Amino acid sequence: MIPLLISEISNIETVFKVSIKASALNPVGGILHANLHACKEILGTCTPLIGEIPGLIIQSSVQMAPLTPENGSHYTATFRDSLRLGSGDWVMVAHVNFNATRTVNSTSRCSSSSSSGGGNSTVQRLFIEAATGREVTSQNQLGYLQTTAEVFVVVVACVAFCFYAYVLFLVLNVENPQLWRHNFFSLALMNVVGAVIFTATVFLRTLYMTDATCIAWLWTAVVGFSLMFTPVYEQAVFFFFFPPQRLNNIQHRRQSKTNDDGDGAAVVANRREGMPKIREQLAAVFTTLILGVNVILLAGWMAAETPRARDRPDPDEDFEEFRDRCEDTSLSLAFTGALVTICGILVISALVFLWMAKRHSFQMYALMRMRRGVTIIASVAITTVVIDAAFTEDPELNFLVRSLAIISASVAGTHWIYFAYSEKFMLENLGAGSGALGKIVPTTTNSWDFNNDKGG
């Protein structure tokens, strides 16, 4: 069978069978000539009698084969052949010829030569030519990085990696121990590393999926997002559930307990260490829950069923120029739904926490940074889902939107670090220039100024 639609870089693997009714013809010497011809549709009728014309008419090598009796009623021969067509609309023809004889009672107008037999019978020697064909459309099949969308995504991703490198430099080279303590160096580092891994997904979730990339992109997407969003979610929870007044109450209770114990020297240290301990506990809980649950789900998916690239469509289905999807099964859809639901709940709840939380003074700017980041993440996620649902037949557009959404979410999830350090440097410069600000406790990640018990 010849497929209706094929890729221009693929050989058309064709099988055609010759079957001759024994009661009608007596083949002599087998099939003398069998091959494929293909003509551009613009030529009109495609006949195997016309020779090869580059770009317009092509043909395969000639084959020969004996004819085999089948069930005493037919002579058959089967041929396998292939052609590679350029893009465009073609007519393909399978062509054979052979010699045969037949006995008739009168002279046949179709005979090429004849000899007389006894009585009223005539044995005719015939040279038979037969052909059958169908229309074929050969569509372009591009390689990776041969579309403008792919090149654009790679360029944008490289710019994003430069941004992550600069943020990572800030995190690794800060000299202020207080900033490390209040910013939680490990969380900031986790945030940047997660963004790098999440952004790398755009190099794996492409227009040309393979079995390997169908597995790899799931890991980079799930692990990358979990690492990137855990610090963001921890801050959202801290903003909402630990307002300044509540922190004051916690600090005063700890101070009273320390005074009752008679250890006055530990009062200040206890007050200053209280908030970081709360933050550390939150970070440990959310890292374990978010990353752990997502990784366990993904590992369970891989153990139950290995994701695979989607097979080429059937001959009667529309040809897909881009192989941009992995195989959809009921199990894969169930695991995908579970992972998307978990991530969606995290983003929505973080958004609610941040917009309901209230802060003043410098802490307000830290809150605004986190609001902006999570709002961007939620917006690009919704936009991607809507466009993917509205333009299901445009894989190139979906690839572009999805890739830019991943990059945008990664940058939005880490941009708070850049602005936090910018604020820190600005405050240090102001303090050094005027000498009037005194000792400044950085507020880069909603840190609490313990010199202000009223939470201003």
Side-chain angles (χ1 to χ4, degrees):
M1 173 177 280
I2 303 173
L4 286 172
L5 295 124
I6 52 92
S7 161
E8 70 167 342
I9 66 171
S10 301
N11 286 328
I12 308 175
E13 302 294 339
T14 304
V15 178
F16 57 98
K17 183 178 180 179
V18 180
S19 181
I20 303 171
K21 193 173 182 180
S23 60
L25 293 173
N26 181 33
V28 178
I31 301 298
L32 304 176
H33 175 110
N35 69 342
L36 295 175
H37 299 254
C39 312
K40 274 292 185 69
E41 196 175 62
I42 58 175
L43 295 178
T45 303
C46 184
T47 170
L49 302 180
I50 301 177
E52 187 166 353
I53 302 175
L56 292 176
I57 300 176
I58 60 176
Q59 58 189 26
S60 65
S61 300
V62 174
Q63 300 182 56
M64 300 175 65
L67 286 161
T68 304
E70 187 176 285
N71 299 325
S73 61
H74 289 78
Y75 296 95
T76 63
T78 301
F79 296 91
R80 296 180 181 276
D81 210 341
S82 65
L83 279 180
R84 178 173 293 187
L85 305 180
S87 60
D89 296 321
W90 296 78
V91 175
M92 283 196 64
V93 174
H95 171 232
V96 300
N97 62 45
F98 58 94
N99 290 316
T101 63
R102 69 174 177 176
T103 302
V104 295
N105 292 325
S106 60
T107 303
S108 171
R109 285 175 286 180
C110 300
S111 62
S112 57
S113 62
S114 65
S115 62
S116 299
N120 295 325
S121 298
T122 301
V123 177
Q124 297 177 324
R125 285 195 289 268
L126 306 173
F127 179 74
I128 307 294
E129 293 208 56
T132 184
R134 70 184 300 176
E135 295 179 347
V136 177
T137 297
S138 176
Q139 296 189 2
N140 291 331
Q141 178 70 40
L142 303 176
Y144 185 54
L145 289 182
Q146 291 189 19
T147 65
T148 304
E150 292 170 309
V151 174
F152 179 71
V153 166
V154 169
V155 172
V156 174
C158 290
V159 173
F161 284 131
C162 292
F163 172 74
Y164 304 145
Y166 179 67
V167 172
L168 189 61
F169 170 80
L170 294 177
V171 173
L172 295 175
N173 288 274
V174 63
E175 297 178 357
N176 189 335
Q178 282 234 356
L179 194 62
W180 277 25
R181 181 165 64 88
H182 288 276
N183 270 328
F184 293 104
F185 171 78
S186 59
L187 282 182
L189 186 61
M190 180 193 302
N191 185 243
V192 179
V193 172
V196 172
I197 297 174
F198 192 44
T199 300
T201 303
V202 303
F203 298 106
L204 299 171
R205 186 69 167 86
T206 66
L207 294 169
Y208 312 97
M209 299 302 293
T210 64
D211 291 345
T213 55
C214 280
I215 296 173
W217 88 267
L218 289 171
W219 284 103
T220 57
V222 171
V223 174
F225 179 82
S226 299
L227 291 174
M228 178 200 71
F229 200 73
T230 294
V232 175
Y233 195 75
E234 184 272 337
Q235 294 186 74
V237 170
F238 188 82
F239 270 122
F240 182 71
F241 289 100
F242 296 91
Q245 189 58 47
R246 185 171 184 180
L247 285 174
N248 281 336
N249 294 336
I250 293 173
Q251 303 306 327
H252 285 307
R253 285 198 300 269
R254 292 185 176 182
Q255 178 181 350
S256 299
K257 184 179 183 302
T258 304
N259 287 334
D260 293 340
D261 293 339
D263 189 5
V267 172
V268 175
N270 197 30
R271 291 174 62 194
R272 289 190 180 278
E273 292 298 331
M275 189 275 290
K277 287 183 179 179
I278 295 173
R279 299 288 300 278
E280 289 171 358
Q281 293 168 355
L282 287 175
V285 169
F286 290 130
T287 301
T288 302
L289 288 178
I290 296 175
L291 184 61
V293 170
N294 284 341
V295 169
I296 289 173
L297 273 175
L298 189 54
W301 181 355
M302 299 298 163
E305 178 183 84
T306 302
R308 297 187 181 279
R310 185 174 183 269
D311 292 333
R312 289 294 185 194
D314 294 331
D316 293 330
E317 293 182 4
D318 290 338
F319 177 80
E320 291 182 332
E321 180 177 0
F322 302 113
R323 195 180 186 184
D324 64 319
R325 286 178 287 174
C326 300
E327 198 67 45
D328 291 330
T329 65
S330 57
L331 188 62
S332 67
L333 292 175
F335 276 105
T336 300
L339 290 168
V340 170
T341 300
I342 291 173
C343 295
I345 291 173
L346 290 173
V347 173
I348 293 173
S349 59
L351 196 62
V352 172
F353 293 157
L354 290 169
W355 281 99
M356 292 185 65
K358 298 184 182 301
R359 288 294 190 274
H360 303 285
S361 188
F362 286 108
Q363 290 192 7
M364 178 184 67
Y365 294 105
L367 175 60
M368 290 173 61
R369 282 194 297 270
M370 300 312 300
R371 282 177 180 171
R372 181 168 60 243
V374 177
T375 301
I376 293 174
I377 293 173
S379 299
V380 297
I382 294 172
T383 302
T384 302
V385 171
V386 170
I387 292 179
D388 185 68
F391 300 94
T392 56
E393 301 301 322
D394 194 339
E396 195 169 3
L397 174 63
N398 288 328
F399 162 76
L400 180 62
V401 173
R402 179 180 62 246
S403 299
L404 293 180
I406 291 172
I407 297 172
S408 300
S410 300
V411 172
T414 54
H415 85 294
W416 61 271
I417 300 178
Y418 169 78
F419 286 105
Y421 279 79
S422 298
E423 176 190 306
K424 175 254 183 186
F425 295 140
M426 178 189 70
L427 293 176
E428 286 185 346
N429 291 334
L430 287 174
S434 64
L437 295 181
K439 185 176 181 179
I440 297 173
V441 177
T443 61
T444 52
T445 56
N446 30 309
S447 59
W448 178 246
D449 186 348
F450 294 102
N451 293 319
N452 182 358
D453 286 342
K454 295 182 180 179

